[in-house]
């Protein structure tokens, strides 16, 4: 008599999206970026400056938080899982162009926005914020160590730093707004797990 065929195991309702290293890099970066934005607002918005006071302390907190901003990513490189995610974020494929065209048309149908573990919008955001952070760090150091560069360099650095800071604030507000609108994505960063149904809808090319 032939052995009875085994029934396939039922699929788990949840899948693992991020491990501890990816989550802690995100939290550390978010915390430092939040400090930079908050202290910058206290330095440039008169009402906040009057409310907080102690400008010299605020400046020092802003400087050290900005200088430490790359540290979570640098420490995260020790994790293989984080390095794998970085490679995925840095790799654009044909499906990413399809996603971007759908986003520009405001086509929100899931089938029109193919995505792997990260969609094209997340890849563009990650690339832009990484580049902006490096520019902010470089110009900030020129403003911090004033005796190392000529006046014209410091003037240019101040101009770029201030206007890029405003742009970063706007982009971050959009990033936070999109996160607020997607509780399942937030749960993935908080707990590391997401529902399989969400993964299939939002990231159909991802094979966890």
């Amino acid at each position: 008599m032939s052995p009875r065929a085994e029934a396939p195991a039922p699929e788990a309702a949840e899948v693992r999206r991020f491990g501890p290293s990816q989550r802690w890099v995100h939290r550390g970066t978010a915390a430092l970026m939040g400090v930079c934005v908050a202290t910058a607002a206290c330095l440039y918005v008169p009402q906040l400056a009057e409310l907080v006071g102690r400008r010299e302390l605020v400046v020092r907190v802003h400087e050290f938080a900005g200088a430490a901003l790359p540290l979570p990513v640098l420490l995260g490189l020790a994790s293989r899982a984080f390095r794998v995610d970085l490679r995925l974020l840095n790799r654009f494929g044909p499906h990413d162009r399809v996603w971007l065209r759908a986003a520009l048309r405001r086509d929100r149908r899931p089938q029109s926005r193919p995505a792997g573990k990260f969609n094209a919008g997340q890849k563009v955001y990650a690339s832009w914020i990484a580049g902006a952070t490096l520019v902010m760090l470089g110009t900030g150091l020129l403003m911090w160590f004033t005796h190392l560069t000529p006046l014209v360099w410091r003037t240019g650095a101040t101009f770029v730093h201030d206007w890029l800071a405003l742009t970063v604030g706007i982009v971050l507000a959009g990033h936070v707004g999109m996160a607020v609108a997607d509780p399942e994505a937030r749960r993935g960063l908080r707990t590391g797990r997401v529902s399989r149904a969400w993964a299939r809808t939002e990231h159909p090319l991802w094979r966890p």
Side-chain angles (χ1 to χ4, degrees), residues 41-55:
C42 292
L43 292 172
Y44 287 97
V45 179
Q47 292 82 357
L48 292 177
E50 293 176 2
L51 181 65
V52 174
R54 306 194 67 178
R55 180 179 177 85

Side-chain angles (χ1 to χ4, degrees), residues 25-208:
V25 168
H26 185 270
R27 290 170 186 171
T29 303
L32 289 170
M33 186 69 77
V35 171
C36 287
V37 171
T39 51
C42 292
L43 292 172
Y44 287 97
V45 179
Q47 292 82 357
L48 292 177
E50 293 176 2
L51 181 65
V52 174
R54 306 194 67 178
R55 180 179 177 85
E56 187 65 26
L57 176 61
V58 174
V59 169
R60 292 292 168 260
V61 172
H62 182 80
E63 290 171 340
F64 282 104
L69 199 51
L71 284 181
V73 172
L74 294 177
L75 294 174
L77 292 176
S79 164
R80 181 181 178 277
F82 180 69
R83 295 196 303 272
V84 169
D85 275 0
L86 278 185
R87 285 195 291 272
L88 293 176
L89 281 168
N90 288 328
R91 188 172 299 160
F92 278 75
H95 61 280
D96 292 311
R97 291 191 287 273
V98 174
W99 193 100
L100 289 172
R101 285 196 293 268
L104 291 174
R105 295 195 308 267
R106 298 184 180 275
D107 185 349
R108 299 184 180 277
R109 294 175 300 165
Q111 62 269 26
S112 67
R113 296 193 178 193
K117 184 173 184 180
F118 302 102
N119 63 44
Q122 292 167 329
K123 293 178 180 181
V124 170
Y125 170 78
S127 299
W128 187 89
I129 201 67
T133 298
L134 291 177
V135 173
M136 293 292 287
L137 178 60
T139 53
L141 290 174
L142 290 177
M143 297 162 61
W144 190 355
F145 300 102
T146 56
H147 61 285
L148 297 179
T149 55
L151 177 61
V152 65
W153 287 26
R154 299 198 303 271
T155 303
T158 302
F159 178 84
V160 172
H161 195 88
D162 290 353
W163 282 103
L164 185 56
L166 177 61
T167 307
V168 168
I170 295 171
V171 172
L172 284 177
H175 178 68
V176 172
M178 294 183 71
V180 169
D182 193 343
E184 192 68 16
R186 296 200 312 275
R187 186 166 78 93
L189 279 170
R190 188 177 66 254
T191 68
R193 305 191 70 83
V194 294
S195 70
R196 187 174 293 274
W198 178 88
R200 284 176 172 170
T201 301
E202 298 295 329
H203 301 270
L205 303 181
W206 178 37
R207 297 292 179 264

